[in-house]
Amino acid sequence: MVLHMLLDYDTLRVIWWALLGVLLVAFAVTDGFDLGTGTLLPFVAKTDLERRVVINTVGPVWEGNQVWLVLGAGAIFAAWPQLYAVAFSGFYLAMAAALLALILRPVAFKYRSKRDSTRWRAVWDAALFIGGFVPALIFGVAMGNVLQGVPFRIAPDMQIYYEGGFLGLLNPFALLCGLVSVAMLVMHGAAWLVLKTDGLVASRARIWGIRAALATVVLYAVAGVLLWNVVDGYRITSALVTTGPSNPLFKTVQSGVAGTWFANYAAHPWTQLAPGAGIAGALLAWLALARRKEGVAMLASSLSVAGIVLSVGASMFPFILPSSIQPQASLTAWDSSSSHLTLFVMLVCASIFLPLIVLYTSWVYKVLWGKVNPAEIRDGKGHAY
């Protein structure tokens, strides 16, 4: 027996669909508070010392957190090559803007305190804000476009053509999803700052976190109502083949029916846990921040972030990327993956290295746990930035 035949092709496809979700959630929960912290920097820190306190809460961990973004992109490239081809070509300008903003962060971390100049440091503080706000907005806008369908088509020779433009991505529903993402990550960043700082920084972060938690609930609920009543969903109308070749053109798809994205919640009630966690987590974070329960607020905001991200996958399954101009070409978990052997080899590698990454990350957080001490920053002891 060939080793990779120990797992069925359809089982491997579901496993990798789930693993992709895990990687995206891990990135959103870990690097999400980094992005939220950068977005909050101008609002919670008024003096140079306060800004250094905020920066030092994420400075030691942001690189490890961003590993999950690299892993997610790598998983898409290897496990879902057609998704990678469409997403990174169709969203090229948006992704380039997000990556440029993310690149600003390490540069700002390294150079901000190299000169004792108010103007110099103000420029890098602005870079840190851009590096937090812009990716948070763009990632949300991308999810909004995925839910509506992306304008691409696949020719009979499997050549993929993207027929949209950058401005088309900035439609009202996608921008609303971008605001959901920003509010969600600001809430998450505020919970992190309350956990890692004291004094005026923590007090300001608590106020902004309460506002962001309420905004998350309202904006997410509005997006859900629009998704139910306005946004057209997609469903497969032909026989569902889960072990067939990776050719999206072998199926038929119906589009143009609002509310279709909620069919999975009716067919599989347990999937309602995802949007429920998104709303309940934000409400709990709001309550915990108001009552100064630091640890609870961080856990609750993490739950909300995970629930909101997972709700996108739960509502769309088995679709991964619908096509708005050629619904038949929509990519699903069943017809856009790599080969059986490739998925199995990748699963073996993931089974070895993912636990190691989790263990190392957990150890780093344990070693660096505790609140940032302004006195140590002022004295130049124990902090890097």
Side-chain angles (χ1 to χ4, degrees):
M1 177 185 292
V2 180
L3 189 60
H4 72 276
M5 298 303 292
L6 292 173
L7 285 174
D8 296 333
Y9 198 11
D10 55 341
T11 301
L12 281 170
R13 282 168 160 168
V14 172
I15 289 174
W16 271 104
W17 173 84
L19 278 176
L20 179 58
V22 169
L23 294 175
L24 293 178
V25 167
F27 168 67
V29 170
T30 57
D31 205 40
F33 66 72
D34 295 343
L35 300 179
T37 298
T39 305
L40 282 169
L41 180 63
F43 307 103
V44 301
K46 303 302 182 182
T47 67
D48 183 68
L49 180 60
E50 289 176 350
R51 295 187 187 99
R52 291 187 66 191
V53 167
V54 171
I55 292 169
N56 275 280
T57 64
V58 298
V61 297
W62 73 268
E63 289 177 293
N65 294 340
Q66 202 157 282
V67 165
W68 297 105
L69 176 62
V70 178
L71 290 174
I76 293 174
F77 174 77
W80 311 100
Q82 292 171 323
L83 172 62
Y84 185 91
V86 177
F88 284 82
S89 59
F91 296 158
Y92 182 79
L93 290 178
M95 291 298 179
L99 289 175
L100 286 173
L102 289 172
I103 289 170
L104 284 175
R105 288 197 303 167
V107 179
F109 283 137
K110 298 298 182 183
Y111 284 96
R112 182 195 180 278
S113 297
K114 295 298 183 182
R115 292 177 58 187
D116 189 11
S117 165
T118 301
R119 178 175 297 181
W120 172 269
R121 295 187 176 188
V123 169
W124 293 117
D125 289 340
L128 287 170
F129 170 76
I130 293 171
F133 176 79
V134 172
L137 180 67
I138 288 178
F139 292 149
V141 168
M143 287 299 99
N145 280 283
V146 168
L147 285 166
Q148 295 175 98
V150 177
F152 72 93
R153 60 183 177 87
I154 300 179
D157 62 355
M158 298 304 295
Q159 184 71 33
I160 298 174
Y161 298 91
Y162 180 80
E163 299 186 359
F166 177 74
L167 293 180
L169 300 176
L170 304 179
N171 57 79
F173 180 76
L175 289 173
L176 173 62
C177 291
L179 292 178
V180 173
S181 176
V182 171
M184 172 184 77
L185 296 184
V186 167
M187 169 190 67
H188 199 36
W192 173 256
L193 287 175
V194 169
L195 186 68
K196 294 288 290 183
T197 65
D198 284 315
L200 289 175
V201 171
S203 179
R204 296 182 190 122
R206 181 176 294 106
I207 294 172
W208 280 102
I210 290 172
R211 294 170 180 171
L214 294 176
T216 299
V217 172
V218 173
L219 292 171
Y220 184 55
V222 171
V225 171
L226 292 178
L227 192 65
W228 174 268
N229 293 288
V230 178
V231 177
D232 295 335
Y234 298 76
R235 66 184 183 91
I236 299 173
T237 56
S238 57
L240 191 61
V241 179
T242 61
T243 57
S246 290
N247 188 334
L249 300 181
F250 286 171
K251 66 179 181 303
T252 58
V253 175
Q254 180 187 19
S255 64
V257 181
T260 304
W261 286 143
F262 286 77
N264 281 343
Y265 296 128
H268 308 286
W270 61 269
T271 58
Q272 298 174 22
L273 291 173
I279 293 177
L283 289 174
L284 183 57
W286 164 73
L287 184 62
L289 287 169
R291 296 190 175 184
R292 303 176 184 271
K293 303 292 185 181
E294 303 170 357
V296 175
M298 189 63 194
L299 291 174
S301 67
S302 300
L303 176 65
S304 180
V305 170
I308 290 173
V309 173
L310 290 174
S311 67
V312 177
S315 63
M316 290 181 60
F317 185 81
F319 288 93
I320 297 178
L321 189 65
S323 169
S324 59
I325 60 174
Q326 188 189 8
Q328 182 187 17
S330 298
L331 307 181
T332 75
W334 310 126
D335 59 21
S336 59
S337 71
S338 293
S339 68
H340 192 168
L341 177 59
T342 299
L343 294 182
F344 181 81
V345 171
M346 287 177 56
L347 182 61
V348 173
C349 294
S351 300
I352 296 172
F353 291 106
L354 276 181
L356 293 177
I357 293 172
V358 172
L359 287 173
Y360 175 74
T361 302
S362 301
W363 175 78
V364 169
Y365 275 93
K366 182 178 182 299
V367 170
L368 298 173
W369 200 247
K371 293 183 181 291
V372 176
N373 190 333
E376 292 182 357
I377 292 178
R378 189 185 299 111
D379 298 337
K381 299 177 181 179
H383 294 284
Y385 303 103

